[in-house]
Amino acid sequence: MKTRILAAVENRLPRSEKLSCITYSNAGSGLNTYAQILWFIFRNQETAPVAVAKTVRDARATAALAQSYANVQTLHTIEPSLFAKPLHYEEDISMEMYVSGA
């Protein structure tokens, strides 16, 4: 999964030097069918992520992942300065530019 995510991000981002990623999932994510695992993707030597990928543990959650990506597309279209830019979608991976909560 990690290899697929990094390859997809490299193909969609300008200036994509060496990329790395860390994953985040909370303790209960394995208990919830619709829980998502977040992959924060970093460019070499940068402290803030450049993109976020979402994956799911259970195939039954792919519809929720698709809806989440569709929501990002809609919101970015309405107000690009406030919402993440969608980057890539596959049935089991959704990717978007990272937007800080600040």
Side-chain angles (χ1 to χ4, degrees), residues 37-101:
I37 301 162
L38 301 178
W39 300 71
F40 294 95
I41 297 101
F42 296 85
R43 285 189 176 118
N44 193 28
Q45 305 297 323
E46 293 186 11
T47 57
V50 67
V52 177
K54 300 173 188 172
T55 61
V56 292
R57 292 185 192 271
D58 192 311
R60 294 175 290 179
T62 56
L65 191 63
Q67 183 61 54
S68 174
Y69 190 76
N71 292 346
V72 168
Q73 288 180 306
T74 301
L75 292 170
H76 182 75
T77 301
I78 293 168
E79 190 55 60
S81 65
L82 292 178
F83 297 99
K85 176 183 177 185
L87 290 177
H88 178 71
Y89 176 78
E90 295 177 28
E91 184 180 34
D92 59 344
I93 302 173
S94 168
M95 294 180 210
E96 59 198 54
M97 296 294 290
Y98 175 79
V99 177
S100 72

Side-chain angles (χ1 to χ4, degrees), residues 10-52:
E10 285 174 353
N11 291 333
R12 285 160 182 82
L13 288 180
R15 196 180 68 85
S16 57
E17 298 91 19
K18 183 177 165 72
L19 298 174
S20 61
C21 67
I22 60 171
T23 60
Y24 171 78
S25 89
N26 62 24
S29 70
L31 304 175
N32 181 341
T33 302
Y34 299 100
Q36 297 178 357
I37 301 162
L38 301 178
W39 300 71
F40 294 95
I41 297 101
F42 296 85
R43 285 189 176 118
N44 193 28
Q45 305 297 323
E46 293 186 11
T47 57
V50 67
V52 177

